[in-house]
Amino acid sequence: MRKRSEIINKIIINIQNAAITLIVFSGISNIVLSLPYKFKMVKTIGKYYRILNPEYISIHRTFSTLAGFILLLISFRLYKRMRMAWVLALCILPVSLILHVLRFHNYINIFTFSESLIIIVLSLSYKDFHRASSPLRLKAGITIASISVFLVLLNTAVGLFILKNEFKHIYSFADGIIRSIQLLFFMDISMIEPKTRTAVLFCKSAIILNWVCIITAIILILKPLVYQPIVSRMGRERVHDLLRSYGFNPISYVALEEDKLYFFGSSVNGVIAYTLAAGVAVCAGDPICKIEDAIILLSEFITFCRQNDLDICFCQVSDKLLHIYKEMGFGITKYGEEAMFELSTYSTAGGAAAKTRQAVNKANRLGINVYEYDKSKDTNRTLEKEIMDVSHEWLHGKKSSELSFMLGSVSFENPEGRRYFYATDASGVIQGFVVFVPFAGGSGYYADVTRRRLEAPIGVMEKIIISAFETMKGDGVEWGSLGLAPLANVRESDPKKTVGLVLEFIYEHLNNFYGFKTLYQYKKKYAPTHWQPRYLSYYPKSFTPKIAYSIIKAQNPKGVKDYLLTQIKQIFAGKK
């Protein structure tokens, strides 16, 4: 029975894909049939508009062309089973069907027949088209708007070339392109000198199409620039409130960064911050909610991801919810260890922190001083500019592009609880800074952004961190964190696990791609009071190359290619 059910499902999917393929041909046919070789037949088509002004023939062409464009643009999203594309298809296809009836003057033809079949298939398959559309990015909006402008320009140029005998001074396709640009830019029919009524009607339809294209382009560009930032801002304010109550994971604060999408619980008060990469919902830290509500929030998120054909990967989760992930069928792999400091007992005395102590002493001898910039009390634009200059210098000197997703930003515009510590040399020039973000309701602070000048004296960063910890200890802060040491001791929890073996191999032998060992040794020299394990939690349970790639893609928008190009450049630079 199960095999039979799989066969039936496969047949249904194939039927749906065939219908989507027909939609592509329907879109092309609408555009082609709207061109002037049919449009010229004013008398034949006109009998169906005998009670209307003949000018409405231009409306017929406009609707036909628009229907074609829309059907082509949504076909890929239909293949991805997106609900909004399904709704648009069922709105546009009846319009296209009516246009074909008016064009061919009969109800039964190959176009009306195929579109009727498509409507039936889509209507019966409404449950399968359930994926939500991703928020429109500015780049995607500009791309779609540019394609729309190009298609309208091309369509107009082809039409003018077909009707070249009905215009003055149009002799070639190049002339058609030039005239179409003039027509669509100035929207003045007289500029391209039509000689017949058919030519005038064609120009009017082109201008209508152009206006539709302009309005659509404005909407596509303004939505990610205006509407989505407003909605995202409202979402971030809600997330900020949840963080104050339930953000126990030090990495949770990155949920406020602008590259995050939010899944809010419908039956519980909570949120999961994520991004989409390679068909995976990559999540930052643990769900932000009450511990007792985590199962419900995760269940809702799993349902959402199933509906949208997404795998799931939570990065840097703590052991606090580990039993819940396991109960719900998630795979678990240790990802590294986080350097934690219990500030009430922490000290740099002793051999473990000897290197840090020596670095701080050297910084003291060089006249390095550390200050906190309390932005809540006063805004110092000059100081902020100097700090950002250090940041830009540090980013410029990096060997690869800036990582994101699991890292925050300086964010002077929206500090939202951040604490800023910076160091100056004896002459008062800023040499480095650290931005700390709160966790566990402000009882802990995590060193999120750490940057220094390329020629900063030894000991600058060590003095900033130790001074910041001492200041926070005096303020009653319980915990400090220097963040994750990726892949450190990954096999301790399960020495025989294949994923752990692979990660350990990367840690031991591919250290040149990312300084895993160096980062671990750097954090270790501070002598953390606790090394807390952090994990990857993924669903379905198998750790696949797709999951691995999605983690890289989420943290480095330029992906694996950026890492490889960086290494190639370093190899060639070393040979010179």
Side-chain angles (χ1 to χ4, degrees):
M1 287 294 292
R2 183 178 177 181
K3 187 174 181 180
R4 182 179 177 184
S5 177
E6 290 176 356
I7 293 172
I8 292 172
N9 287 336
K10 191 172 182 179
I11 292 172
I12 291 172
I13 291 171
N14 288 333
I15 291 172
Q16 292 170 354
N17 288 341
I20 294 168
T21 303
L22 285 176
I23 285 177
V24 175
F25 288 110
S26 179
I28 295 171
S29 68
N30 269 287
I31 295 170
V32 172
L33 292 173
S34 68
L35 289 171
Y37 75 91
K38 279 287 183 184
F39 184 75
K40 286 173 65 176
M41 301 170 66
V42 177
K43 292 182 180 178
T44 307
I45 299 177
K47 70 180 183 179
Y48 286 88
Y49 293 92
R50 60 183 178 273
I51 62 172
L52 301 173
N53 190 310
E55 302 285 328
Y56 278 84
I57 298 172
S58 62
I59 303 295
H60 184 285
R61 173 185 131 74
T62 302
F63 272 97
S64 183
T65 307
L66 283 175
F69 286 168
I70 294 171
L71 290 174
L72 287 176
L73 288 172
I74 67 173
S75 57
F76 178 72
R77 286 169 173 76
L78 280 170
Y79 181 75
K80 291 291 186 178
R81 302 307 193 265
M82 290 186 176
R83 170 65 70 175
M84 186 53 65
W86 179 86
V87 172
L88 283 172
L90 287 182
C91 290
I92 296 299
L93 285 168
V95 174
S96 176
L97 195 149
I98 293 169
L99 291 171
H100 285 311
V101 169
L102 293 172
R103 181 179 289 114
F104 294 102
H105 324 306
N106 59 67
Y107 294 101
I108 305 298
N109 56 67
I110 187 172
F111 301 105
T112 57
F113 180 74
S114 65
E115 288 177 349
S116 297
L117 283 178
I118 296 170
I119 291 171
I120 292 170
V121 171
L122 293 182
S123 298
L124 294 175
S125 307
Y126 71 96
K127 289 184 178 179
D128 296 321
F129 291 84
H130 46 61
R131 289 188 64 180
S133 300
S134 302
L136 183 69
R137 305 289 185 184
L138 179 59
K139 183 178 179 180
I142 293 174
T143 300
I144 296 172
S146 301
I147 291 172
S148 301
V149 170
F150 172 77
L151 289 175
V152 171
L153 181 66
L154 180 64
N155 181 271
T156 305
V158 170
L160 291 177
F161 177 67
I162 292 171
L163 295 173
K164 61 183 178 181
N165 294 328
E166 301 183 38
F167 291 90
K168 293 181 181 179
H169 310 300
I170 296 181
Y171 308 106
S172 64
F173 184 64
D175 293 332
I177 293 175
I178 294 170
R179 292 295 191 177
S180 65
I181 292 172
Q182 289 177 330
L183 176 64
L184 300 181
F185 185 80
F186 294 104
M187 298 191 195
D188 184 355
I189 296 174
S190 64
M191 289 191 67
I192 61 171
E193 302 176 276
K195 297 190 292 186
T196 65
R197 185 169 183 75
T198 299
V200 172
L201 292 175
F202 176 81
C203 292
K204 287 184 177 181
S205 67
I207 290 174
I208 295 171
L209 276 171
N210 192 41
W211 271 113
V212 172
C213 179
I214 290 171
I215 293 169
T216 303
I218 290 171
I219 292 171
L220 289 173
I221 293 171
L222 288 184
K223 186 177 180 183
L225 281 176
V226 179
Y227 171 74
Q228 284 173 194
I230 292 173
V231 174
S232 297
R233 178 63 184 174
M234 294 171 64
R236 282 196 294 274
E237 288 175 358
R238 185 177 173 188
V239 171
H240 194 266
D241 292 337
L242 289 167
L243 280 170
R244 282 196 289 263
S245 301
Y246 312 121
F248 58 84
N249 190 322
I251 203 68
S252 293
Y253 202 83
V254 299
L256 294 174
E257 295 298 323
E258 293 184 0
D259 61 346
K260 303 300 184 294
L261 301 172
Y262 300 129
F263 177 84
F264 290 100
S266 58
S267 54
V268 295
N269 189 26
V271 67
I272 293 173
Y274 70 99
T275 192
L276 298 177
V280 179
V282 185
C283 310
D286 295 284
I288 304 169
C289 64
K290 291 180 180 178
I291 300 296
E292 54 268 30
D293 290 339
I295 290 179
I296 298 174
L297 182 59
L298 281 169
S299 297
E300 292 179 354
F301 188 61
I302 289 172
T303 300
F304 166 78
C305 290
R306 280 176 175 170
Q307 289 175 344
N308 291 281
D309 195 26
L310 297 169
D311 291 344
I312 303 170
C313 181
F314 284 88
C315 294
Q316 291 184 219
V317 300
S318 66
D319 52 9
K320 203 166 189 176
L321 299 180
L322 213 57
H323 64 289
I324 294 177
Y325 294 119
K326 290 178 180 178
E327 287 174 14
M328 300 192 69
F330 281 79
I332 304 293
T333 295
K334 188 175 179 181
Y335 188 45
E337 295 183 346
E338 184 163 357
M340 300 291 292
F341 300 78
E342 191 172 1
L343 298 184
S344 61
T345 61
Y346 177 65
S347 170
T348 56
K355 291 183 178 180
T356 297
R357 189 171 60 252
Q358 291 168 7
V360 171
N361 290 337
K362 186 167 185 177
N364 289 335
R365 289 194 298 272
L366 293 172
I368 302 295
N369 292 301
V370 175
Y371 306 93
E372 181 175 7
Y373 171 40
D374 190 347
K375 189 171 172 62
S376 65
K377 294 181 180 178
D378 187 29
T379 297
N380 187 331
R381 298 297 183 193
T382 302
L383 176 61
E384 289 180 9
K385 184 182 181 303
E386 290 179 18
I387 289 175
M388 293 309 299
D389 287 342
V390 173
S391 180
H392 294 149
E393 180 180 330
W394 182 85
L395 289 171
H396 183 72
K398 277 177 61 66
K399 296 177 181 179
S400 62
S401 62
E402 184 180 8
L403 299 180
S404 60
F405 187 67
M406 300 305 292
L407 295 175
S409 57
V410 179
S411 196
F412 283 130
E413 308 81 30
N414 298 297
E416 296 179 312
R418 291 175 173 85
R419 297 185 70 167
Y420 302 91
F421 289 84
Y422 64 97
T424 62
D425 60 17
S427 60
V429 177
I430 295 178
Q431 296 296 319
F433 69 92
V434 178
V435 181
F436 289 85
V437 297
F439 64 92
S443 63
Y445 276 86
Y446 160 64
D448 183 27
V449 180
T450 59
R451 292 172 186 174
R452 62 176 177 81
R453 293 194 183 278
L454 299 180
E455 302 299 328
I458 294 174
V460 165
M461 300 310 294
E462 288 87 348
K463 183 163 184 182
I464 295 175
I465 288 169
I466 297 303
S467 298
F469 281 170
E470 290 173 352
T471 300
M472 291 177 186
K473 177 182 177 181
D475 295 339
V477 176
E478 298 175 16
W479 289 93
S481 170
L482 290 186
L484 182 74
L487 309 188
N489 303 315
V490 290
R491 289 185 61 201
E492 281 187 356
S493 58
D494 191 351
K496 295 182 180 180
K497 197 168 184 177
T498 304
V499 179
L501 288 169
V502 173
L503 294 179
E504 184 182 56
F505 177 84
I506 293 172
Y507 180 80
E508 294 291 342
H509 301 286
L510 299 179
N511 198 57
N512 192 42
F513 278 91
Y514 184 90
F516 300 113
K517 286 185 177 181
T518 304
L519 187 61
Y520 175 68
Q521 293 299 327
Y522 174 78
K523 297 177 190 293
K524 186 179 179 181
K525 76 177 183 180
Y526 286 91
T529 56
H530 298 75
W531 283 100
Q532 292 186 357
R534 296 290 180 257
Y535 303 89
L536 297 176
S537 179
Y538 38 89
Y539 188 94
K541 200 170 185 178
S542 298
F543 188 85
T544 62
K546 180 180 178 181
I547 294 288
Y549 178 75
S550 71
I551 297 170
I552 296 173
K553 185 69 175 176
Q555 296 191 71
N556 187 337
K558 294 185 179 180
V560 176
K561 181 175 69 174
D562 179 62
Y563 282 108
L564 296 177
L565 288 175
T566 299
Q567 298 309 309
I568 292 170
K569 289 177 183 177
Q570 289 179 8
I571 290 171
F572 280 101
K575 291 181 178 180
K576 291 180 180 179

